Amino acid sequence: METKTGTTTEGCCSVLVQPIDTADAEPLARAFAALGDPVRLRLFSLIASSGPVCSCDLLEPLSKSQPTISHHTKALAEAGLIVGEKQGRWVWWSAVPRRVEELRAALSAR
Amino acid sequence: METKTGTTTEGCCSVLVQPIDTADAEPLARAFAALGDPVRLRLFSLIASSGPVCSCDLLEPLSKSQPTISHHTKALAEAGLIVGEKQGRWVWWSAVPRRVEELRAALSAR
DNA sequence: CTGTCGTATTGACATCTGTCGATCTATTGC
DNA sequence: GCAATAGATCGACAGATGTCAATACGACAG
């Protein structure tokens, strides 16, 4: 069934990920939770796709207040998904490729 | 900075994902949120790595009550990450590879 | 039909979360 | 120093969430 997708469900390939240890689960879940809000997910995708982005450039496309944007950037930063470099009055946010790779790996087989 | 990891932040490779449309953000965020709880993440990894699993086999490794497990399986199912097939008194849960692939794709470049 | 077993649902509770207005901090320009 | 601006923090509030005890539902065994 559903062998059309290329991801067959027979033999070795039925395994998508390996069981996650209790200790590893918390930080991983933290990162997934950070992407678990629609606004924050779009916020992250904007930063990750446009390179370093100023916070001021995020208010309009997301239609949220300044404190809300600040709240979300903080959440993403604490999850290790983005880092902010302060330059004068501005903060330039950029994604952390290594962290994203960790999430992708957790969703991969083996 | 951090060009040691191999994932350079220059040129084309600074792009990890493409901006996510507002319409696409909600279902995607729903799935990420489903993985955003440590218990639920481990629950999913157990199902995904062990093939079809009976609910009764999940209580002990997760050290949670039966209603809590049922609550989490329901959440994962509504997020499209697992499906349950009822066989007599038991329910056999298995992961949905296509859905996992969607999440992995959202975290990939291009 | 009756009791048992695996799950789902309900109700309740404490905690967490997303949001915004108001305010504070820090930096730039004059 | 003073006003303006970018961002962070605080306080508040409605709504969502994780958890469990109690209960209901459905299937099987006798």
Side-chain angles (χ1 to χ4, degrees), chain A residues 11-73:
Chain A
C12 70
C13 300
S14 65
V15 178
L16 275 180
V17 296
Q18 50 190 331
I20 297 176
D21 190 79
T22 312
D24 300 338
E26 186 133 354
L28 253 183
R30 227 167 235 289
F32 281 126
L35 300 176
D37 177 78
V39 174
R40 216 182 294 135
L41 180 59
R42 290 185 57 223
L43 174 46
F44 174 73
S45 76
L46 284 172
I47 295 174
S49 63
S50 305
V53 183
C54 171
S55 290
C56 55
D57 291 332
L58 296 168
L59 305 188
E60 191 208 341
L62 294 173
S63 304
K64 294 293 169 188
S65 71
Q66 180 268 321
T68 298
I69 299 296
S70 181
H71 169 71
H72 285 318
T73 50

Side-chain angles (χ1 to χ4, degrees), chain B residues 49-101:
Chain B
S49 62
S50 304
V53 183
C54 171
S55 291
C56 54
D57 291 332
L58 296 168
L59 304 190
E60 191 209 340
L62 295 173
S63 305
K64 294 293 168 187
S65 72
Q66 180 268 321
T68 298
I69 299 296
S70 181
H71 169 71
H72 285 317
T73 51
K74 183 179 182 181
L76 286 170
E78 286 179 348
L81 286 165
I82 63 174
V83 287
E85 189 175 355
K86 191 160 190 175
Q87 293 228 345
R89 283 179 288 193
W90 295 272
V91 178
W92 295 93
W93 297 101
S94 43
V96 180
R98 201 180 356 178
R99 190 82 172 112
V100 178
E101 178 55 38

